[in-house]
Amino acid sequence: MDMLGYEFMQRAFWAGGLIGIIGPLLGVYLMLRRQVLMADTLSHVSLAGVALGSVLQLNPALSGFAVAVAGGLVIEQLRRSYRTYSELPVAIIMTTGLALAVVLMSLKQNLSKSFSSYLFGSIVAVSDTQLRLIAVVAAVGLAYFIVLRRPLYSLTFDEETASISGVRTGLLSFSFAVLTGMTVAAAMPVVGVLLVSALIVLPASLALRIASGFTAAILIAVSAGLLGVFSGLTASYYINTPPGGTIALILLLFLLAAIAAQRLIRLKRRHSKYRSPLHSGKSVQEI
C-alpha cells in the first residue's frame, strides 16, 4: 500500500505540515530576540508534564501542553526579575524540568518504555486528539503573528523603543512565551521532546543566514521547515528511523548546504573582483 494510504501517515503529514509552518515562524522571532534556548528549555519542561500526566493517569499530551505553557510564563517572569542575567531563567527552568521528569518517571514502572515516542518522536504516536490540538495551536499562532505583526516587529528589534511608542511590551512578551510553550508541546508527537528545538531553530538559522529581509526570512524558514518535515517523514517511513532525528538531520543538511553555497559564492565574487586584467586574455590597451 502507498505510504499515504495509511491513516497514521496521513495524520503524521498533517501534523508535520502544521508544525512545519508555525515552528520555523516562531523560530525567526526567537532567534532575533536572542531566546533560542527557550524552545529547548520548554521541551524539557513539557517532558516533566508528560511524566506528571502518566503518573496521575491524565492525558500525557494535554498535561505536557499545560506544563509547557506554564513554564513559558515562569521563564518570562524570571527574565524580568533577572534582566542583567537573561540566561539565568533558562538554566533554572531547564534543570527544574529535567529533575521533575526524572523523579516522576521513577514513580511509575515501565513508564520509560512509553516515553520513547515522546523523546524521539513517532509517526504512529500522532492521535486524532493530538492532531486537533496541533491544528488549534497552528491556527492560534498564525492569527497571533498576523494580527500582532507590527508590535511584535517593534518588540523583537527594540523593546525599549516599542515600550515608548505605546506597545504593551509586558503583555506581549507574556503572550509570546505562552505561544512558544504551546508550539513546543504540540510538536512533541512528530519530532520528540529532545529534538523539537531543531525544528524551530534550524530553519530559522538557515533563513537568517541567506535572507535579504525580515519577510524573506520568514518565507524561507517556513519553506525549509515544510520541506524538511515532509522529506524527513518520508525517509523515516521507508528506512524505519525515528522521525524526529531524521527531520533534524535533514534540516541540518539544508543549513550546511546553504552555508557552503554562500561561501562558494563569496569566494567566486572575491576572485572576480581581484582578478588582474592581464589574466583575462586582453591587453591593457584593449581594456
Side-chain angles (χ1 to χ4, degrees):
M1 184 182 292
D2 182 66
M3 176 179 64
L4 293 179
Y6 296 100
E7 289 188 6
F8 70 90
M9 286 302 300
Q10 295 174 10
R11 290 194 299 269
F13 269 80
W14 274 110
L18 293 169
I19 295 298
I21 293 173
I22 194 64
L25 177 57
L26 175 67
V28 172
Y29 284 94
L30 284 173
M31 290 196 66
L32 291 175
R33 296 192 69 190
R34 307 293 194 273
Q35 293 181 329
V36 175
L37 290 178
M38 187 175 180
D40 194 40
T41 299
L42 290 180
S43 67
H44 290 81
V45 171
S46 66
L47 181 62
V50 170
L52 179 64
S54 299
V55 171
L56 299 178
Q57 297 183 348
L58 303 173
N59 187 310
L62 295 179
S63 61
F65 183 89
V67 172
V69 171
L73 289 172
V74 173
I75 288 178
E76 183 58 30
Q77 182 60 46
L78 289 176
R79 189 178 72 87
R80 295 185 172 276
S81 300
Y82 294 95
R83 290 184 180 274
T84 307
Y85 307 99
S86 58
E87 74 282 357
L88 186 59
V90 172
I92 293 173
I93 299 303
M94 179 180 289
T95 53
T96 303
L98 283 173
L100 284 173
V102 171
V103 171
L104 290 171
M105 286 174 64
S106 67
L107 297 178
K108 188 173 182 180
Q109 295 180 347
N110 299 324
L111 184 59
S112 58
K113 293 182 179 180
S114 62
F115 257 41
S116 60
S117 61
Y118 289 101
L119 288 172
F120 306 108
S122 174
I123 292 178
V124 296
V126 183
S127 64
D128 290 332
T129 300
Q130 291 168 333
L131 181 57
R132 285 192 289 268
L133 181 63
I134 292 171
V136 170
V137 170
V140 170
L142 287 175
Y144 179 86
F145 286 118
I146 292 173
V147 174
L148 300 175
R149 62 187 184 279
R150 292 187 181 276
L152 272 174
Y153 185 88
S154 301
L155 178 71
T156 299
F157 288 98
D158 194 336
E159 187 170 349
E160 292 184 2
T161 303
S163 179
I164 294 172
S165 63
V167 176
R168 301 178 65 181
T169 56
L171 182 60
L172 193 59
S173 293
F174 275 106
S175 64
F176 183 81
V178 169
L179 180 62
T180 303
M182 291 168 59
T183 304
V184 168
M188 277 195 305
V190 179
V191 292
V193 170
L194 297 181
L195 294 171
V196 65
S197 60
L199 180 56
I200 294 174
V201 173
L202 289 177
S205 301
L206 168 64
L208 294 177
R209 179 86 185 187
I210 64 176
S212 57
F214 183 71
T215 303
I218 289 178
L219 293 175
I220 293 172
V222 172
S223 300
L226 288 173
L227 182 60
V229 167
F230 291 151
S231 56
L233 287 175
T234 302
S236 174
Y237 174 82
Y238 285 109
I239 62 179
N240 195 27
T241 56
T246 307
I247 292 170
L249 287 175
I250 289 176
L251 290 173
L252 180 60
L253 288 176
F254 288 169
L255 178 60
L256 294 177
I259 293 174
Q262 197 174 47
R263 289 185 176 179
L264 287 175
I265 292 173
R266 287 178 179 175
L267 287 174
K268 185 176 180 180
R269 289 178 178 176
R270 187 179 302 174
H271 178 72
S272 300
K273 181 179 179 180
Y274 292 104
R275 187 176 60 180
S276 172
L278 296 177
H279 292 86
S280 64
K282 296 182 180 181
S283 65
V284 177
Q285 290 79 5
E286 292 175 326
I287 295 175

